[in-house]
Amino acid sequence: MTSSIILFEDIFFVEKINPDGKKFDKVSRVQAKSQNCDMFMHLDVNTEIYPMSEGDKFTMALAHTLNLDGTPDTGYYTQGHRKTLADKYEYVMHGKLYKISDEGSGDDVKAEVYVSFGGLLMLLKGEPSYVSKFELDQRIFLLIRKL
């Protein structure tokens, strides 16, 4: 059932931390490349609570809900003992997809997906077929677990 919940998932390798220099005390921009789908990612991470280093390997998933039965998220956190998709990961953020665009031309077109997680940003760039499930203004959960 989780395959219908997860919009994208791959294993990423951290290439650089703060490629443009450190801008904030508690946040770092992670530059990573995916193992299977050849995707490029810039991701802002609160490294005070989830430290990341160059060379780290992690699995990253993007999902439209945390509910294992696929029901839409209510937008409210309810504390309880029910199992969710988040139980399988170490770091979770909730955000909104605010831009989808294409770069390049012909066979070399790369899709770009931009998501804001309360000001922490993500750029995911690669083969358009991998991001075809995404829609503008879509609410998305980002889930990370180090390998």
Side-chain angles (χ1 to χ4, degrees):
M1 183 55 116
T2 54
S3 63
S4 64
I5 298 169
I6 295 176
L7 303 168
F8 176 82
E9 185 173 30
D10 203 350
I11 295 168
F12 282 82
F13 178 77
V14 177
E15 295 178 329
K16 292 181 185 171
I17 301 287
N18 297 314
D20 301 323
K22 185 118 172 112
K23 304 221 184 327
F24 302 100
D25 291 337
K26 299 175 183 179
V27 176
S28 291
R29 178 154 291 170
V30 173
Q31 179 177 310
K33 188 84 169 170
S34 78
Q35 182 174 293
N36 303 316
C37 300
D38 194 33
M39 300 292 277
F40 171 85
M41 179 171 63
H42 269 167
L43 177 66
D44 294 343
V45 176
N46 183 335
T47 48
E48 183 179 54
I49 60 172
Y50 197 72
M52 296 189 89
S53 306
E54 286 184 17
D56 281 354
K57 201 173 182 182
F58 62 93
T59 183
M60 187 274 288
L62 296 171
H64 65 87
T65 182
L66 294 178
N67 298 324
L68 294 174
D69 62 2
T71 56
D73 188 73
T74 62
Y76 296 98
Y77 175 71
T78 51
Q79 206 168 3
H81 296 291
R82 65 185 174 92
K83 297 278 184 199
T84 69
L85 189 59
D87 295 330
K88 299 176 184 176
Y89 294 88
E90 302 165 337
Y91 184 74
V92 179
M93 293 193 293
H94 181 251
K96 186 175 184 178
L97 194 154
Y98 67 92
K99 182 179 175 184
I100 301 173
S101 63
D102 292 329
E103 179 186 85
S105 61
D107 292 339
D108 195 35
V109 171
K110 300 287 186 205
E112 296 180 333
V113 174
Y114 296 84
V115 182
S116 176
F117 302 98
L120 299 180
L121 304 177
M122 179 190 77
L123 159 65
L124 185 64
K125 179 174 158 181
E127 174 64 39
S129 63
Y130 293 122
V131 298
S132 62
K133 296 177 184 175
F134 296 106
E135 299 170 8
L136 196 60
D137 294 331
Q138 186 175 27
R139 299 283 177 186
I140 292 180
F141 289 93
L142 175 133
L143 305 105
I144 292 178
R145 178 182 64 249
K146 287 183 186 169
L147 301 174

